[in-house]
Amino acid sequence: MNDYLVKATTTDGMFRAYAVNAKQLVATAQSDHDTWSASSAALGRTLIGTVMLAESVEKNGEAVTVKIDGKGPVGQIVADSDSNGHVKGYIQNPHVHLPLNDQHKIDVGKAVGINGFIEVSRAAEGEDPYTGSVPLTSGEIGDDFTFYLAQSEQIPSAVGVSVFVNDDNSIGAAGGYMIQVLPDATEDAINKVVDRIKEIPMISELLLDNQSPEDILELIFGKGQLHFLQTIPVEFSCNCSKFRFGRDLEGIPVPQLETMLKEDHGIDVTCNFCGKQYHYNEEELTKIIKVAQSKATK
Ligand SMILES: [Zn+2]
């Protein structure tokens, strides 16, 4: 089954719902960053939450950046998604493996920690970014997205994100759902959904059992209760390039660039998001310095 996200509303107009299968997406992140189990789960869950958040935005071309830092062993996690299903991200400490928790699951809460914040920035082209942040509630990521949406965007939601890591560190399953309560929802209907979410198996278990994103939403709301609006392919993809990093280098103070030229005869840049490396030789660095100088004198 390929990775994709499905968008739906319930036929009674009370809920908006999203579900995603993101196994390949998280597998690419795992291999790009060589993450170990706890880091894979923490980064994977963040990527899944971020891509759903980006797809839940009404505006076209809006990018969403999520930063999570709970001062736990994995350190900071950063994920960035456009509104076309492309998401990228990295984790400060990729090599974290912890003993399983009481439920025999990867202890993501412990790996992430709870002494910090989840911060979300939304930026539409040509507009100032909107940034909101709330304290982490459990470090389990799903709960933290839920709390963020309720507190910062006043959208009552339920977010479930799940990653299953095989013994050899490969990704067995990854995906999630996000349910948003619409203004017409009744108390009774909300309680029913909340109860149902508690009853269903973990998302990674459902995905391991070859259930599709549509199946997962039907499991929550019941068959025939949903209008499926759109499916969007999702993937881990980085839009970095030598040109883009060159533009960033032009913003570094000229004396610093000159030192790099004199002492290192060039510069190597590594992309945090995908690990790709770019080298700028003496000639290229000299050009960058010229542009930086002209910018500085403006
Ligand atoms: Zn990159």
Side-chain angles (χ1 to χ4, degrees):
M1 185 164 56
N2 290 328
D3 284 358
Y4 68 89
L5 176 145
V6 64
K7 296 186 189 187
T9 53
T10 52
T11 51
D12 58 18
M14 294 193 199
F15 302 94
R16 216 187 333 243
Y18 308 82
V20 64
N21 178 21
K23 180 184 169 181
Q24 260 321 307
L25 189 166
V26 176
T28 306
Q30 191 278 325
S31 72
D32 275 10
H33 294 290
D34 186 32
T35 48
W36 296 359
S37 62
S39 300
S40 300
L43 176 60
R45 288 186 188 184
T46 306
L47 291 166
I48 295 162
T50 303
V51 77
M52 289 195 292
L53 206 56
E55 288 307 327
S56 73
V57 169
E58 298 297 321
K59 278 185 209 155
N60 270 333
E62 191 171 89
V64 171
T65 303
V66 173
K67 287 184 191 151
I68 293 175
D69 191 352
K71 307 281 181 288
V74 299
Q76 194 186 45
I77 309 163
V78 179
D80 195 287
S81 181
D82 66 13
S83 55
N84 300 312
H86 305 118
V87 63
K88 58 184 179 176
Y90 62 89
I91 189 160
Q92 198 176 353
N93 300 314
H95 293 166
V96 178
H97 177 79
L98 294 175
L100 299 180
N101 65 16
D102 302 344
Q103 287 99 49
H104 305 285
K105 300 278 188 281
I106 296 174
D107 203 338
V108 177
K110 197 168 199 177
V112 172
I114 51 164
N115 299 311
F117 291 84
I118 175 170
E119 181 191 289
V120 177
S121 295
R122 297 174 174 279
E125 256 173 51
E127 282 176 36
D128 288 337
Y130 162 85
T131 301
S133 89
V134 296
L136 293 170
T137 51
S138 70
E140 292 280 337
I141 315 273
D143 301 342
D144 301 303
F145 272 100
T146 302
F147 188 60
Y148 162 79
L149 281 165
Q151 288 292 308
S152 193
E153 302 200 10
Q154 281 83 48
I155 304 171
S157 311
V159 182
V161 286
S162 187
V163 174
F164 185 88
V165 182
N166 296 318
D167 289 341
D168 65 359
N169 264 346
S170 64
I171 303 302
Y177 64 81
M178 179 164 79
I179 294 158
Q180 298 186 342
V181 178
L182 296 174
D184 286 344
T186 61
E187 203 66 22
D188 194 40
I190 294 170
N191 290 336
K192 252 166 87 180
V193 172
V194 171
D195 289 344
R196 192 67 191 128
I197 287 170
K198 285 184 196 143
E199 285 164 17
I200 65 167
M202 281 190 72
I203 299 305
S204 55
E205 285 170 33
L206 293 169
L207 292 165
L208 281 172
D209 191 32
N210 284 322
Q211 305 278 319
S212 69
E214 286 89 341
D215 293 335
I216 291 169
L217 293 183
E218 283 185 337
L219 205 59
I220 296 169
F221 291 102
K223 271 205 188 319
Q225 304 300 310
L226 292 147
H227 289 303
F228 290 107
L229 306 172
Q230 204 184 355
T231 60
I232 296 144
V234 294
E235 63 171 339
F236 186 93
S237 108
C238 188
N239 54 355
C240 69
S241 66
K242 193 168 179 179
F243 177 75
R244 273 175 180 248
F245 277 113
R247 295 285 294 270
D248 290 346
L249 291 173
E250 289 163 9
I252 294 177
V254 174
Q256 230 171 301
L257 291 169
E258 282 173 335
T259 307
M260 289 174 195
L261 181 64
K262 225 188 292 170
E263 290 178 5
D264 307 323
H265 308 288
I267 182 172
D268 288 302
V269 180
T270 305
C271 176
N272 280 336
F273 285 103
C274 69
K276 225 181 261 167
Q277 295 192 329
Y278 298 97
H279 177 73
Y280 299 81
N281 62 24
E282 278 187 297
E283 193 186 327
E284 288 162 330
L285 191 51
T286 306
K287 267 189 205 160
I288 286 167
I289 290 172
K290 271 191 189 144
V291 179
Q293 276 167 339
S294 74
K295 278 187 182 169
T297 53
K298 258 179 202 165

